[in-house]
Amino acid sequence: MIKVRVAPSPTGYLHVGNARAALVNYLFARSQNGHFLLRLDDTDTARGRPEYEQAIYDDLTWLGLSWDSSAKQSDRFARYAEVAEQLKATGRLYPCFENAEELAAKRAALEKRKLPPIYDRAALALTPAQIETALQNGHRPHWRFKLSPGEATWIDLILGAKRVKFATVSDPVLIREDNTPLYTFTSVVDDVDHQITHVIRGEDHVTNTAVQLDIFAALTNALPKFAHLPLISGGEGEKLSKRVGSASLRGMRKDGIEPAAITAYLARLGTSKDPAPIPLAELIKTFNIADFGRSSPRFDPHQLLALNRKFLHHLPYDSVKDRLPEAATEAFWNAIRGNLDLLTEARQWWDVVHNDISTPDQPDQKIFLEAALQTLPPEPWGAETWKTWTQTLAQATGAKGRALYHPLRLALTGEESGPEMAALLPLIGREKTAERLRRTAR
Ligand code: GLU
C-alpha cells in the first residue's frame, strides 16, 4: 500500500510551494489508491501558532484536497525521546558541548583556509570522564548523529540517480541543548512509524534526504523512495504581479482565484504538458510523477489567470453567489462570467449595472448619442432590446460597426471592452441608460 505525507509547519500561511507539495502527494496517493497523511511539523513551539495550524486545514480544504489521516509532531515528543535513547545506546547519537561562539570560530577558521564548514567531530573524542565533568559543571549537551562513512545514493523519482558524500556534510544536530528534537530527526521517526512509502517534497530537501537516509538505515530496513520537486521560481513570498498580490493560498483566495485554477496550474507546472482547465478529479486520472522535469519552473501569474478565466466562465451561479455583491442575480452572473480573470472583478461590473459610474465625455459623438437617446425603446427590456435598438439607430444615423457600437459601450459602461452589451443593457435598465447617454452627449 502506497502511503505519502505532506508535512507543513504552522509557522505561516501556505504558499504555492506548499500547495504544490500537498497537491502532488495527494495526486500521487489518489491515482494509486494510496493513503495521504497530513502531518503537522509543529515542534517549533516558539514560531508555531495555532491560527496557522487552523489555516493549514482550511486552506487545503479550500483547495479541494482531502486527507486520510492526520498527525501532529507535538503529540510525539515521548516517542522521539525513546528513539533518541536507542541511538545513544548504539553510539550513533553523541553529546557535544560546543557553544554557538565556539562553533562559529571553528567555521571561520575553516573558511579562512577555504575549506567547507564541516563539523570536525571533536566531541567524538571526549572520554566518558570528560563528558561526566562537563555535565557536573552544568553544561548541557546537544546531540549529533554520527554519519556513516561513504555516501548516500538513491534513485530519485524526479531527479534520477542522486549521490551525496557524507564527508561533505556535518554530522547533523538532532537534539538541542534544551532537549527539543529537530526536524531532521523527527521527520524520519515519523516516516518510519507511519510506514511512509514515498517522500515527495521540494528540492531544497535533497541534502536532508542524504542525511535522513543514513538515519533511516539506523532505524529500519524499509527505506522509502524519494521524489524531489524542483523549486518554483518567482512563487515564494514575493508579490506575484499587480493583480495576483500574494503567493499565499489565502491571498489568492482573497484575490478571487478559483481553487481549481490553482490545482490545474500546479499539477502541470514543471511538466512538459501545457496548463489546461482540468478539474481536480480529472487530474487524478492522468497523474504521473514521471512527468515532472528536473529544471525549476517559473510561476507565471498570467497562465494562472488564463486558467482562472476558463474556470470562471463555466461556474454556475449557485457556486459563486455568496461571493458576488449582495443582490447580484443569476442574469448578472451569466452576463459577466465570460469576461472575468478574477472573481473580484465582478464588483466593477456590478457598479456598471447597479450603481453610479463615471464615463468619459465624448464631445465628438454628441449628435450620435442624442439620436441614441431618441431611439431608445420603451421598457420592458429583454435579450432582444440591444439588437432592436442598434438596428433602429443604424438606420437613423447610418453608423455601423465600431462607429455604432463603441460610443454606446463607452457611454454605458465607461469601458472599452467587456461583456456582451445585449446581456448588460437590460441589467442597466432604461433609466440609467438614458441618464448616461444624456450626460455623455452634453
Ligand atoms: N516541515 C518540512 C517543510 O515544510 C517538511 C519537509 C518534508 O516533507 O520532509 O519543509
Side-chain angles (χ1 to χ4, degrees):
M1 163 92 150
I2 280 175
K3 189 169 180 188
V4 294
R5 86 298 192 279
V6 70
S9 304
T11 52
Y13 292 119
L14 296 181
H15 53 74
V16 286
N18 305 121
R20 184 173 181 237
L23 175 68
V24 173
N25 276 286
Y26 169 86
L27 291 173
F28 187 81
R30 291 287 175 267
S31 63
Q32 305 185 65
N33 286 319
H35 183 109
F36 177 47
L37 164 73
L38 170 58
R39 181 182 95 199
L40 284 195
D41 282 1
D42 60 347
T43 53
D44 187 347
T45 43
R47 290 197 309 141
R49 296 229 301 261
E51 59 266 37
Y52 290 138
E53 177 182 334
Q54 190 54 46
I56 288 172
Y57 303 134
D58 293 347
D59 290 352
L60 291 180
T61 303
W62 172 75
L63 200 58
L65 306 189
S66 56
W67 46 96
D68 303 302
S69 61
S70 63
K72 287 170 69 164
Q73 292 201 318
S74 58
D75 289 337
R76 288 172 43 82
F77 283 116
R79 175 64 183 149
Y80 305 135
E82 182 182 25
V83 179
E85 288 313 311
Q86 282 169 29
L87 293 176
K88 288 176 191 174
T90 55
R92 291 305 292 275
L93 207 49
Y94 62 94
C96 303
F97 293 91
E98 294 96 340
N99 61 28
E101 291 90 71
E102 285 165 327
L103 290 173
K106 284 187 190 209
R107 276 198 299 273
L110 288 168
E111 259 155 38
K112 219 165 144 193
R113 292 163 54 204
K114 303 240 180 307
L115 294 171
I118 296 167
Y119 177 62
D120 62 7
R121 291 186 159 173
L124 260 185
L126 295 175
T127 63
Q130 285 172 315
I131 293 173
E132 195 47 43
T133 311
L135 293 173
Q136 296 287 320
N137 291 338
H139 293 296
R140 299 167 94 192
H142 55 274
W143 296 80
R144 286 187 192 261
F145 182 77
K146 188 181 162 202
L147 289 170
S148 303
E151 60 194 12
T153 58
W154 72 96
I155 306 294
D156 196 285
L157 297 182
I158 295 173
L159 303 178
K162 294 298 289 182
R163 171 186 303 269
V164 177
K165 291 199 172 71
F166 288 131
T168 63
V169 237
S170 297
D171 284 346
V173 176
L174 300 192
I175 314 281
R176 281 212 205 98
E177 278 82 359
D178 64 3
N179 247 336
T180 48
L182 291 170
Y183 157 77
T184 311
F185 177 53
T186 54
S187 183
V188 175
V189 176
D190 285 356
D191 288 339
V192 171
D193 288 353
H194 292 136
Q195 298 178 300
I196 297 301
T197 59
H198 295 76
V199 174
I200 305 169
R201 57 189 177 188
E203 195 175 6
D204 49 335
H205 286 289
V206 161
T207 308
N208 284 337
T209 295
V211 164
Q212 289 180 330
L213 271 170
D214 207 30
I215 305 174
F216 270 110
L219 301 177
T220 176
N221 292 320
L223 301 181
K225 292 192 165 54
F226 287 87
H228 293 89
L229 290 158
L231 295 190
I232 304 171
S233 67
E236 320 260 331
E238 73 238 52
K239 198 171 152 81
L240 294 180
S241 76
K242 221 168 84 193
R243 285 192 295 170
V244 186
S246 156
S248 75
L249 287 183
R250 299 249 127 170
M252 292 194 195
R253 179 179 187 172
K254 194 161 146 276
D255 286 342
I257 299 193
E258 287 300 300
I262 299 175
T263 51
Y265 181 61
L266 292 180
R268 290 198 164 176
L269 183 61
T271 74
S272 57
K273 293 179 177 164
D274 287 331
I278 305 171
L280 188 56
E282 295 297 312
L283 289 171
I284 294 171
K285 294 182 192 158
T286 53
F287 180 80
N288 184 352
I289 193 136
D291 287 345
F292 288 95
R294 295 184 195 184
S295 49
S296 257
R298 236 202 119 63
F299 187 92
D300 181 351
H302 299 290
Q303 285 192 337
L304 178 63
L305 285 179
L307 282 177
N308 202 51
R309 188 180 178 92
K310 290 180 185 150
F311 277 106
L312 287 175
H313 199 153
H314 294 106
L315 274 190
Y317 173 65
D318 274 346
S319 61
V320 290
K321 66 167 185 257
D322 296 347
R323 294 177 284 155
L324 292 176
E326 219 183 321
T329 59
E330 182 160 12
F332 168 75
W333 173 244
N334 290 342
I336 65 158
R337 65 178 179 178
N339 270 271
L340 306 178
D341 285 342
L342 294 166
L343 189 62
T344 43
E345 293 163 5
R347 159 64 52 192
Q348 168 203 334
W349 293 109
W350 182 247
D351 287 341
V352 166
V353 304
H354 201 258
N355 295 325
D356 283 338
I357 52 163
S358 64
T359 52
D361 289 341
Q362 301 186 66
D364 51 341
Q365 297 294 338
K366 196 169 159 41
I367 294 170
F368 174 78
L369 292 170
E370 269 162 9
L373 191 57
Q374 298 307 318
T375 50
L376 211 52
E379 282 183 312
W381 281 8
E384 296 298 309
T385 307
W386 172 255
K387 202 170 147 204
T388 328
W389 178 36
T390 50
Q391 273 171 0
T392 317
L393 184 58
Q395 270 163 19
T397 61
K400 53 182 194 238
R402 184 178 156 86
L404 174 65
Y405 300 119
H406 180 258
L408 296 179
R409 176 180 285 283
L410 201 56
L412 299 185
T413 71
E415 298 291 332
E416 294 286 337
S417 61
E420 294 280 347
M421 287 304 297
L424 282 183
L425 188 70
L427 295 169
I428 297 172
R430 196 176 195 284
E431 190 188 323
K432 281 198 169 53
T433 300
E435 196 272 319
R436 286 176 194 171
L437 289 172
R438 227 176 272 124
R439 178 177 9 130
T440 312
R442 212 167 29 217

